[in-house]
Amino acid sequence: MSSVEKTLSIVKPDAVERNLTENIKEYFLKNNLKIVKEKKIQVSKDEAAEFYRVHQTKPFYDRLCNYLSSGPITVMILEGENAIKENRRIMGATDPKNAEDGTIRKKYGISIDKNSIHGSDSVENAKKEIEFFFKN
Ligand code: IDP
Ligand code: MG
C-alpha cells in the first residue's frame, strides 16, 4: 500500500560545512520527494539532547549531541509517496562504509558520526521530529 507522507530530514554539520545542501536536495527531488519547508539553524547542546533522546542510553549519545550542535544544520520537511521509507533508502546505511551505491551516505558520508544526513525512521517519529523543528 502506498500513501503520501511527510518526513524530517537534517543535513548534518559535516555536510553543511562542505556546502553539500544543494547536492543533497537533488537526491530528494530526483526521487520524487518534495521539499515543503526548509530552514538553516544551529541547535544548542540541550536541544540536540532532546532531539536524540531515544538514544540517551547509548554509549555514543554525548558525542552525537555535541556533534549535532557543533555547527549549522539544514532541516527540511520532505513529502511524497512513502516518504519515510523512501528517504531512508535514499540516505543509505547509518555507517557510510556499509551504504549502498547511489545513496547520499555512500557519496558524502565521512564516518558513522559524520554521516551527513538524518531521516525519521517511522510515522510516529516523523510526526514528533517535524513538530520539534516546525512548531507552527
Ligand atoms: P540513523 O541516523 O541511520 O537513523 P541511528 O541508529 O538512529 O541511525 O543513530 C543516530 C546517529 O547516531 C547516527 O546517524 C550516527 O551518526 C550515530 N550512531 C549510530 N550508531 C552509532 C555507533 O555505533 N557509533 C557511533 N555513532 C553512532
Ligand atoms: Mg535514527
Side-chain angles (χ1 to χ4, degrees), residues 73-121:
I73 58 176
T74 297
V75 293
M76 288 176 260
I77 300 175
L78 306 180
E79 185 184 82
E81 286 284 324
N82 299 314
I84 297 163
K85 213 170 154 207
E86 261 300 277
N87 181 40
R88 296 287 308 188
R89 183 183 65 75
I90 297 162
M91 286 163 58
T94 304
D95 189 340
K97 281 206 301 277
N98 304 325
E100 302 72 8
D101 283 343
T103 63
I104 294 169
R105 283 168 165 168
K106 172 78 174 190
K107 175 93 172 153
Y108 299 121
I110 295 169
S111 64
I112 193 162
D113 296 295
K114 297 187 170 180
N115 60 5
S116 302
I117 190 103
H118 166 87
S120 311
D121 63 3

mmCIF file of all heavy atoms in Angstrom, residues 73-121:
data_model
loop_
_atom_site.group_PDB
_atom_site.id
_atom_site.type_symbol
_atom_site.label_atom_id
_atom_site.label_comp_id
_atom_site.label_asym_id
_atom_site.label_seq_id
_atom_site.Cartn_x
_atom_site.Cartn_y
_atom_site.Cartn_z
ATOM 1 N N ILE A 73 22.971 23.462 10.696
ATOM 2 C CA ILE A 73 22.320 22.325 10.044
ATOM 3 C C ILE A 73 21.185 22.868 9.182
ATOM 4 O O ILE A 73 20.711 23.984 9.411
ATOM 5 C CB ILE A 73 21.741 21.310 11.068
ATOM 6 C CG1 ILE A 73 20.730 21.980 12.008
ATOM 7 C CG2 ILE A 73 22.880 20.667 11.881
ATOM 8 C CD1 ILE A 73 20.044 21.023 12.996
ATOM 9 N N THR A 74 20.758 22.092 8.197
ATOM 10 C CA THR A 74 19.571 22.475 7.433
ATOM 11 C C THR A 74 18.501 21.433 7.677
ATOM 12 O O THR A 74 18.733 20.248 7.426
ATOM 13 C CB THR A 74 19.891 22.593 5.927
ATOM 14 O OG1 THR A 74 20.859 23.638 5.755
ATOM 15 C CG2 THR A 74 18.648 22.966 5.123
ATOM 16 N N VAL A 75 17.366 21.864 8.223
ATOM 17 C CA VAL A 75 16.267 20.935 8.486
ATOM 18 C C VAL A 75 15.184 21.134 7.427
ATOM 19 O O VAL A 75 14.914 22.259 7.015
ATOM 20 C CB VAL A 75 15.682 21.089 9.912
ATOM 21 C CG1 VAL A 75 16.697 20.669 10.955
ATOM 22 C CG2 VAL A 75 15.223 22.503 10.187
ATOM 23 N N MET A 76 14.618 20.025 6.997
ATOM 24 C CA MET A 76 13.630 20.068 5.914
ATOM 25 C C MET A 76 12.486 19.113 6.193
ATOM 26 O O MET A 76 12.702 18.038 6.752
ATOM 27 C CB MET A 76 14.268 19.591 4.604
ATOM 28 C CG MET A 76 15.236 20.539 3.981
ATOM 29 S SD MET A 76 15.961 19.765 2.516
ATOM 30 C CE MET A 76 17.505 19.224 3.207
ATOM 31 N N ILE A 77 11.302 19.498 5.756
ATOM 32 C CA ILE A 77 10.191 18.550 5.702
ATOM 33 C C ILE A 77 10.093 18.066 4.255
ATOM 34 O O ILE A 77 9.978 18.881 3.325
ATOM 35 C CB ILE A 77 8.854 19.201 6.120
ATOM 36 C CG1 ILE A 77 8.940 19.731 7.549
ATOM 37 C CG2 ILE A 77 7.713 18.190 5.979
ATOM 38 C CD1 ILE A 77 7.705 20.508 7.997
ATOM 39 N N LEU A 78 10.165 16.760 4.079
ATOM 40 C CA LEU A 78 10.021 16.150 2.756
ATOM 41 C C LEU A 78 8.639 15.516 2.665
ATOM 42 O O LEU A 78 8.138 14.975 3.655
ATOM 43 C CB LEU A 78 11.073 15.059 2.555
ATOM 44 C CG LEU A 78 12.533 15.450 2.782
ATOM 45 C CD1 LEU A 78 13.437 14.240 2.546
ATOM 46 C CD2 LEU A 78 12.934 16.607 1.882
ATOM 47 N N GLU A 79 8.069 15.557 1.479
ATOM 48 C CA GLU A 79 6.741 14.971 1.285
ATOM 49 C C GLU A 79 6.691 14.175 -0.001
ATOM 50 O O GLU A 79 7.239 14.586 -1.025
ATOM 51 C CB GLU A 79 5.687 16.086 1.229
ATOM 52 C CG GLU A 79 4.268 15.570 1.143
ATOM 53 C CD GLU A 79 3.273 16.716 1.002
ATOM 54 O OE1 GLU A 79 3.095 17.189 -0.137
ATOM 55 O OE2 GLU A 79 2.723 17.143 2.022
ATOM 56 N N GLY A 80 6.044 13.008 0.067
ATOM 57 C CA GLY A 80 5.881 12.183 -1.132
ATOM 58 C C GLY A 80 5.324 10.823 -0.773
ATOM 59 O O GLY A 80 5.082 10.525 0.396
ATOM 60 N N GLU A 81 5.125 9.998 -1.802
ATOM 61 C CA GLU A 81 4.660 8.625 -1.603
ATOM 62 C C GLU A 81 5.656 7.882 -0.721
ATOM 63 O O GLU A 81 6.852 7.846 -1.037
ATOM 64 C CB GLU A 81 4.590 7.911 -2.967
ATOM 65 C CG GLU A 81 3.442 8.340 -3.845
ATOM 66 C CD GLU A 81 2.114 7.752 -3.383
ATOM 67 O OE1 GLU A 81 2.093 6.596 -2.918
ATOM 68 O OE2 GLU A 81 1.103 8.472 -3.485
ATOM 69 N N ASN A 82 5.197 7.295 0.343
ATOM 70 C CA ASN A 82 6.053 6.517 1.252
ATOM 71 C C ASN A 82 7.334 7.273 1.624
ATOM 72 O O ASN A 82 8.431 6.695 1.631
ATOM 73 C CB ASN A 82 6.419 5.173 0.632
ATOM 74 C CG ASN A 82 5.193 4.326 0.354
ATOM 75 O OD1 ASN A 82 4.314 4.202 1.209
ATOM 76 N ND2 ASN A 82 5.099 3.768 -0.834
ATOM 77 N N ALA A 83 7.195 8.556 1.891
ATOM 78 C CA ALA A 83 8.360 9.434 2.080
ATOM 79 C C ALA A 83 9.325 8.935 3.155
ATOM 80 O O ALA A 83 10.539 9.086 3.015
ATOM 81 C CB ALA A 83 7.891 10.852 2.403
ATOM 82 N N ILE A 84 8.793 8.338 4.209
ATOM 83 C CA ILE A 84 9.663 7.940 5.322
ATOM 84 C C ILE A 84 10.640 6.846 4.865
ATOM 85 O O ILE A 84 11.855 6.969 5.020
ATOM 86 C CB ILE A 84 8.821 7.498 6.546
ATOM 87 C CG1 ILE A 84 7.998 8.698 7.042
ATOM 88 C CG2 ILE A 84 9.707 6.916 7.645
ATOM 89 C CD1 ILE A 84 6.842 8.342 7.940
ATOM 90 N N LYS A 85 10.085 5.821 4.263
ATOM 91 C CA LYS A 85 10.910 4.698 3.800
ATOM 92 C C LYS A 85 11.781 5.096 2.603
ATOM 93 O O LYS A 85 12.951 4.714 2.510
ATOM 94 C CB LYS A 85 9.985 3.544 3.407
ATOM 95 C CG LYS A 85 10.591 2.213 3.676
ATOM 96 C CD LYS A 85 9.602 1.086 3.527
ATOM 97 C CE LYS A 85 10.380 -0.169 3.187
ATOM 98 N NZ LYS A 85 9.601 -1.130 2.428
ATOM 99 N N GLU A 86 11.199 5.864 1.705
ATOM 100 C CA GLU A 86 11.929 6.316 0.524
ATOM 101 C C GLU A 86 13.159 7.132 0.931
ATOM 102 O O GLU A 86 14.260 6.943 0.420
ATOM 103 C CB GLU A 86 11.019 7.211 -0.334
ATOM 104 C CG GLU A 86 10.384 6.509 -1.493
ATOM 105 C CD GLU A 86 11.421 5.951 -2.432
ATOM 106 O OE1 GLU A 86 11.939 6.692 -3.286
ATOM 107 O OE2 GLU A 86 11.742 4.737 -2.291
ATOM 108 N N ASN A 87 12.948 8.051 1.879
ATOM 109 C CA ASN A 87 14.052 8.884 2.342
ATOM 110 C C ASN A 87 15.149 8.025 2.966
ATOM 111 O O ASN A 87 16.338 8.242 2.710
ATOM 112 C CB ASN A 87 13.529 9.927 3.337
ATOM 113 C CG ASN A 87 14.605 10.845 3.846
ATOM 114 O OD1 ASN A 87 15.485 11.263 3.088
ATOM 115 N ND2 ASN A 87 14.560 11.161 5.118
ATOM 116 N N ARG A 88 14.753 7.032 3.768
ATOM 117 C CA ARG A 88 15.748 6.145 4.398
ATOM 118 C C ARG A 88 16.538 5.387 3.325
ATOM 119 O O ARG A 88 17.738 5.157 3.460
ATOM 120 C CB ARG A 88 15.062 5.144 5.344
ATOM 121 C CG ARG A 88 14.367 5.758 6.530
ATOM 122 C CD ARG A 88 15.277 6.287 7.595
ATOM 123 N NE ARG A 88 16.267 5.347 8.051
ATOM 124 C CZ ARG A 88 17.082 5.551 9.085
ATOM 125 N NH1 ARG A 88 17.013 6.692 9.775
ATOM 126 N NH2 ARG A 88 17.966 4.679 9.432
ATOM 127 N N ARG A 89 15.847 4.997 2.274
ATOM 128 C CA ARG A 89 16.516 4.266 1.180
ATOM 129 C C ARG A 89 17.538 5.176 0.477
ATOM 130 O O ARG A 89 18.686 4.769 0.220
ATOM 131 C CB ARG A 89 15.459 3.779 0.173
ATOM 132 C CG ARG A 89 16.023 2.942 -0.966
ATOM 133 C CD ARG A 89 14.940 2.558 -1.958
ATOM 134 N NE ARG A 89 14.361 3.701 -2.668
ATOM 135 C CZ ARG A 89 14.949 4.360 -3.649
ATOM 136 N NH1 ARG A 89 16.152 4.007 -4.072
ATOM 137 N NH2 ARG A 89 14.342 5.390 -4.229
ATOM 138 N N ILE A 90 17.131 6.407 0.212
ATOM 139 C CA ILE A 90 18.000 7.355 -0.495
ATOM 140 C C ILE A 90 19.215 7.732 0.365
ATOM 141 O O ILE A 90 20.305 7.966 -0.140
ATOM 142 C CB ILE A 90 17.201 8.633 -0.864
ATOM 143 C CG1 ILE A 90 16.055 8.299 -1.827
ATOM 144 C CG2 ILE A 90 18.099 9.709 -1.450
ATOM 145 C CD1 ILE A 90 14.979 9.373 -1.892
ATOM 146 N N MET A 91 19.009 7.773 1.697
ATOM 147 C CA MET A 91 20.102 8.114 2.628
ATOM 148 C C MET A 91 21.192 7.055 2.633
ATOM 149 O O MET A 91 22.375 7.359 2.674
ATOM 150 C CB MET A 91 19.557 8.210 4.065
ATOM 151 C CG MET A 91 18.739 9.441 4.353
ATOM 152 S SD MET A 91 17.758 9.229 5.863
ATOM 153 C CE MET A 91 19.005 8.898 7.095
ATOM 154 N N GLY A 92 20.790 5.779 2.682
ATOM 155 C CA GLY A 92 21.749 4.684 2.813
ATOM 156 C C GLY A 92 21.992 4.319 4.271
ATOM 157 O O GLY A 92 21.502 4.985 5.184
ATOM 158 N N ALA A 93 22.781 3.268 4.472
ATOM 159 C CA ALA A 93 23.015 2.728 5.823
ATOM 160 C C ALA A 93 23.689 3.759 6.727
ATOM 161 O O ALA A 93 24.421 4.638 6.259
ATOM 162 C CB ALA A 93 23.879 1.480 5.729
ATOM 163 N N THR A 94 23.446 3.618 8.030
ATOM 164 C CA THR A 94 23.970 4.556 9.039
ATOM 165 C C THR A 94 25.483 4.751 8.921
ATOM 166 O O THR A 94 25.983 5.875 8.977
ATOM 167 C CB THR A 94 23.624 4.039 10.456
ATOM 168 O OG1 THR A 94 22.207 3.854 10.535
ATOM 169 C CG2 THR A 94 24.076 5.011 11.525
ATOM 170 N N ASP A 95 26.199 3.631 8.762
ATOM 171 C CA ASP A 95 27.657 3.714 8.591
ATOM 172 C C ASP A 95 27.976 3.802 7.094
ATOM 173 O O ASP A 95 27.702 2.864 6.349
ATOM 174 C CB ASP A 95 28.311 2.470 9.194
ATOM 175 C CG ASP A 95 29.826 2.587 9.236
ATOM 176 O OD1 ASP A 95 30.392 3.422 8.485
ATOM 177 O OD2 ASP A 95 30.441 1.845 10.016
ATOM 178 N N PRO A 96 28.535 4.931 6.664
ATOM 179 C CA PRO A 96 28.816 5.107 5.223
ATOM 180 C C PRO A 96 29.605 3.940 4.605
ATOM 181 O O PRO A 96 29.457 3.663 3.412
ATOM 182 C CB PRO A 96 29.625 6.409 5.171
ATOM 183 C CG PRO A 96 29.211 7.144 6.398
ATOM 184 C CD PRO A 96 28.911 6.111 7.446
ATOM 185 N N LYS A 97 30.385 3.262 5.437
ATOM 186 C CA LYS A 97 31.145 2.103 4.938
ATOM 187 C C LYS A 97 30.216 1.007 4.395
ATOM 188 O O LYS A 97 30.598 0.259 3.521
ATOM 189 C CB LYS A 97 31.960 1.467 6.084
ATOM 190 C CG LYS A 97 33.230 2.180 6.439
ATOM 191 C CD LYS A 97 34.248 1.202 7.083
ATOM 192 C CE LYS A 97 33.720 0.535 8.343
ATOM 193 N NZ LYS A 97 33.867 1.362 9.570
ATOM 194 N N ASN A 98 29.015 0.948 4.969
ATOM 195 C CA ASN A 98 28.051 -0.081 4.559
ATOM 196 C C ASN A 98 26.964 0.452 3.631
ATOM 197 O O ASN A 98 26.055 -0.281 3.257
ATOM 198 C CB ASN A 98 27.361 -0.679 5.795
ATOM 199 C CG ASN A 98 28.346 -1.230 6.792
ATOM 200 O OD1 ASN A 98 29.375 -1.756 6.395
ATOM 201 N ND2 ASN A 98 28.067 -1.091 8.076
ATOM 202 N N ALA A 99 27.041 1.730 3.289
ATOM 203 C CA ALA A 99 25.965 2.336 2.499
ATOM 204 C C ALA A 99 26.003 1.832 1.056
ATOM 205 O O ALA A 99 27.080 1.620 0.476
ATOM 206 C CB ALA A 99 26.065 3.856 2.546
ATOM 207 N N GLU A 100 24.819 1.643 0.492
ATOM 208 C CA GLU A 100 24.665 1.130 -0.858
ATOM 209 C C GLU A 100 25.098 2.183 -1.886
ATOM 210 O O GLU A 100 24.989 3.380 -1.637
ATOM 211 C CB GLU A 100 23.183 0.762 -1.081
ATOM 212 C CG GLU A 100 22.624 -0.261 -0.098
ATOM 213 C CD GLU A 100 22.386 0.254 1.354
ATOM 214 O OE1 GLU A 100 22.500 1.472 1.613
ATOM 215 O OE2 GLU A 100 22.114 -0.605 2.207
ATOM 216 N N ASP A 101 25.546 1.699 -3.047
ATOM 217 C CA ASP A 101 25.895 2.614 -4.144
ATOM 218 C C ASP A 101 24.692 3.492 -4.485
ATOM 219 O O ASP A 101 23.562 3.027 -4.464
ATOM 220 C CB ASP A 101 26.282 1.822 -5.399
ATOM 221 C CG ASP A 101 27.693 1.250 -5.287
ATOM 222 O OD1 ASP A 101 28.455 1.725 -4.417
ATOM 223 O OD2 ASP A 101 27.997 0.322 -6.046
ATOM 224 N N GLY A 102 24.959 4.740 -4.802
ATOM 225 C CA GLY A 102 23.890 5.642 -5.216
ATOM 226 C C GLY A 102 23.201 6.354 -4.067
ATOM 227 O O GLY A 102 22.310 7.166 -4.291
ATOM 228 N N THR A 103 23.599 6.053 -2.828
ATOM 229 C CA THR A 103 22.971 6.723 -1.682
ATOM 230 C C THR A 103 23.771 7.958 -1.246
ATOM 231 O O THR A 103 24.954 8.107 -1.587
ATOM 232 C CB THR A 103 22.826 5.761 -0.482
ATOM 233 O OG1 THR A 103 24.133 5.358 -0.035
ATOM 234 C CG2 THR A 103 22.013 4.524 -0.863
ATOM 235 N N ILE A 104 23.100 8.800 -0.487
ATOM 236 C CA ILE A 104 23.727 10.041 -0.012
ATOM 237 C C ILE A 104 24.918 9.736 0.900
ATOM 238 O O ILE A 104 25.986 10.352 0.785
ATOM 239 C CB ILE A 104 22.684 10.905 0.737
ATOM 240 C CG1 ILE A 104 21.602 11.392 -0.235
ATOM 241 C CG2 ILE A 104 23.354 12.109 1.431
ATOM 242 C CD1 ILE A 104 20.378 12.018 0.436
ATOM 243 N N ARG A 105 24.721 8.784 1.806
ATOM 244 C CA ARG A 105 25.809 8.483 2.747
ATOM 245 C C ARG A 105 26.993 7.812 2.059
ATOM 246 O O ARG A 105 28.145 8.009 2.469
ATOM 247 C CB ARG A 105 25.275 7.645 3.904
ATOM 248 C CG ARG A 105 24.505 8.498 4.910
ATOM 249 C CD ARG A 105 23.729 7.655 5.887
ATOM 250 N NE ARG A 105 23.282 8.420 7.053
ATOM 251 C CZ ARG A 105 22.400 7.960 7.933
ATOM 252 N NH1 ARG A 105 21.876 6.757 7.781
ATOM 253 N NH2 ARG A 105 22.043 8.704 8.965
ATOM 254 N N LYS A 106 26.715 7.037 1.027
ATOM 255 C CA LYS A 106 27.818 6.434 0.264
ATOM 256 C C LYS A 106 28.652 7.537 -0.407
ATOM 257 O O LYS A 106 29.872 7.516 -0.407
ATOM 258 C CB LYS A 106 27.242 5.481 -0.794
ATOM 259 C CG LYS A 106 28.237 4.936 -1.777
ATOM 260 C CD LYS A 106 29.039 3.824 -1.157
ATOM 261 C CE LYS A 106 29.950 3.175 -2.188
ATOM 262 N NZ LYS A 106 30.541 1.947 -1.640
ATOM 263 N N LYS A 107 27.931 8.504 -0.969
ATOM 264 C CA LYS A 107 28.612 9.559 -1.721
ATOM 265 C C LYS A 107 29.314 10.567 -0.792
ATOM 266 O O LYS A 107 30.442 10.974 -1.061
ATOM 267 C CB LYS A 107 27.564 10.282 -2.590
ATOM 268 C CG LYS A 107 28.064 11.481 -3.341
ATOM 269 C CD LYS A 107 28.504 11.126 -4.725
ATOM 270 C CE LYS A 107 28.826 12.378 -5.521
ATOM 271 N NZ LYS A 107 29.806 12.125 -6.562
ATOM 272 N N TYR A 108 28.629 10.965 0.281
ATOM 273 C CA TYR A 108 29.146 12.090 1.063
ATOM 274 C C TYR A 108 29.543 11.770 2.499
ATOM 275 O O TYR A 108 30.237 12.571 3.132
ATOM 276 C CB TYR A 108 28.107 13.215 1.100
ATOM 277 C CG TYR A 108 27.764 13.775 -0.259
ATOM 278 C CD1 TYR A 108 26.463 13.749 -0.744
ATOM 279 C CD2 TYR A 108 28.764 14.326 -1.056
ATOM 280 C CE1 TYR A 108 26.144 14.261 -1.990
ATOM 281 C CE2 TYR A 108 28.463 14.844 -2.311
ATOM 282 C CZ TYR A 108 27.146 14.805 -2.773
ATOM 283 O OH TYR A 108 26.852 15.309 -3.992
ATOM 284 N N GLY A 109 29.080 10.640 3.045
ATOM 285 C CA GLY A 109 29.363 10.334 4.442
ATOM 286 C C GLY A 109 30.862 10.138 4.676
ATOM 287 O O GLY A 109 31.566 9.580 3.838
ATOM 288 N N ILE A 110 31.318 10.613 5.841
ATOM 289 C CA ILE A 110 32.744 10.529 6.167
ATOM 290 C C ILE A 110 32.996 9.383 7.142
ATOM 291 O O ILE A 110 33.990 8.670 7.042
ATOM 292 C CB ILE A 110 33.210 11.870 6.799
ATOM 293 C CG1 ILE A 110 33.107 12.995 5.764
ATOM 294 C CG2 ILE A 110 34.631 11.758 7.343
ATOM 295 C CD1 ILE A 110 33.290 14.387 6.361
ATOM 296 N N SER A 111 32.070 9.225 8.100
ATOM 297 C CA SER A 111 32.208 8.210 9.148
ATOM 298 C C SER A 111 30.835 7.978 9.760
ATOM 299 O O SER A 111 29.888 8.693 9.418
ATOM 300 C CB SER A 111 33.163 8.711 10.227
ATOM 301 O OG SER A 111 32.595 9.853 10.857
ATOM 302 N N ILE A 112 30.736 7.010 10.678
ATOM 303 C CA ILE A 112 29.426 6.772 11.311
ATOM 304 C C ILE A 112 28.963 8.004 12.086
ATOM 305 O O ILE A 112 27.760 8.256 12.192
ATOM 306 C CB ILE A 112 29.448 5.499 12.183
ATOM 307 C CG1 ILE A 112 28.010 5.085 12.557
ATOM 308 C CG2 ILE A 112 30.333 5.663 13.404
ATOM 309 C CD1 ILE A 112 27.880 3.662 13.036
ATOM 310 N N ASP A 113 29.863 8.801 12.583
ATOM 311 C CA ASP A 113 29.478 10.047 13.257
ATOM 312 C C ASP A 113 29.109 11.117 12.234
ATOM 313 O O ASP A 113 28.037 11.708 12.298
ATOM 314 C CB ASP A 113 30.634 10.584 14.113
ATOM 315 C CG ASP A 113 30.985 9.651 15.242
ATOM 316 O OD1 ASP A 113 30.134 9.465 16.117
ATOM 317 O OD2 ASP A 113 32.099 9.082 15.240
ATOM 318 N N LYS A 114 30.017 11.336 11.311
ATOM 319 C CA LYS A 114 29.803 12.369 10.292
ATOM 320 C C LYS A 114 29.184 11.729 9.054
ATOM 321 O O LYS A 114 29.834 11.598 8.011
ATOM 322 C CB LYS A 114 31.130 13.060 9.960
ATOM 323 C CG LYS A 114 31.698 13.773 11.174
ATOM 324 C CD LYS A 114 32.921 14.592 10.819
ATOM 325 C CE LYS A 114 33.301 15.468 12.009
ATOM 326 N NZ LYS A 114 34.481 16.288 11.745
ATOM 327 N N ASN A 115 27.924 11.324 9.209
ATOM 328 C CA ASN A 115 27.282 10.616 8.094
ATOM 329 C C ASN A 115 26.308 11.493 7.317
ATOM 330 O O ASN A 115 25.429 11.000 6.615
ATOM 331 C CB ASN A 115 26.646 9.306 8.576
ATOM 332 C CG ASN A 115 25.584 9.536 9.644
ATOM 333 O OD1 ASN A 115 25.255 10.675 9.960
ATOM 334 N ND2 ASN A 115 25.049 8.460 10.176
ATOM 335 N N SER A 116 26.480 12.800 7.446
ATOM 336 C CA SER A 116 25.910 13.816 6.548
ATOM 337 C C SER A 116 24.411 14.083 6.632
ATOM 338 O O SER A 116 23.957 15.147 6.219
ATOM 339 C CB SER A 116 26.246 13.508 5.076
ATOM 340 O OG SER A 116 27.638 13.442 4.899
ATOM 341 N N ILE A 117 23.637 13.104 7.110
ATOM 342 C CA ILE A 117 22.196 13.267 6.967
ATOM 343 C C ILE A 117 21.435 12.499 8.051
ATOM 344 O O ILE A 117 21.894 11.452 8.510
ATOM 345 C CB ILE A 117 21.797 12.798 5.536
ATOM 346 C CG1 ILE A 117 20.362 13.146 5.172
ATOM 347 C CG2 ILE A 117 22.054 11.317 5.304
ATOM 348 C CD1 ILE A 117 20.282 14.311 4.267
ATOM 349 N N HIS A 118 20.312 13.054 8.462
ATOM 350 C CA HIS A 118 19.380 12.356 9.358
ATOM 351 C C HIS A 118 18.049 12.200 8.642
ATOM 352 O O HIS A 118 17.647 13.077 7.883
ATOM 353 C CB HIS A 118 19.145 13.169 10.639
ATOM 354 C CG HIS A 118 17.965 12.681 11.438
ATOM 355 N ND1 HIS A 118 18.072 11.674 12.367
ATOM 356 C CD2 HIS A 118 16.635 13.026 11.396
ATOM 357 C CE1 HIS A 118 16.871 11.421 12.880
ATOM 358 N NE2 HIS A 118 15.990 12.235 12.307
ATOM 359 N N GLY A 119 17.345 11.118 8.901
ATOM 360 C CA GLY A 119 15.982 10.952 8.390
ATOM 361 C C GLY A 119 15.132 10.206 9.403
ATOM 362 O O GLY A 119 15.603 9.240 10.014
ATOM 363 N N SER A 120 13.888 10.641 9.577
ATOM 364 C CA SER A 120 12.976 9.960 10.508
ATOM 365 C C SER A 120 12.825 8.497 10.108
ATOM 366 O O SER A 120 12.864 8.155 8.928
ATOM 367 C CB SER A 120 11.595 10.612 10.472
ATOM 368 O OG SER A 120 11.679 12.002 10.595
ATOM 369 N N ASP A 121 12.599 7.648 11.136
ATOM 370 C CA ASP A 121 12.549 6.208 10.843
ATOM 371 C C ASP A 121 11.164 5.580 10.977
ATOM 372 O O ASP A 121 11.024 4.374 10.775
ATOM 373 C CB ASP A 121 13.561 5.458 11.723
ATOM 374 C CG ASP A 121 13.245 5.588 13.209
ATOM 375 O OD1 ASP A 121 12.223 6.210 13.566
ATOM 376 O OD2 ASP A 121 14.030 5.060 14.014
#
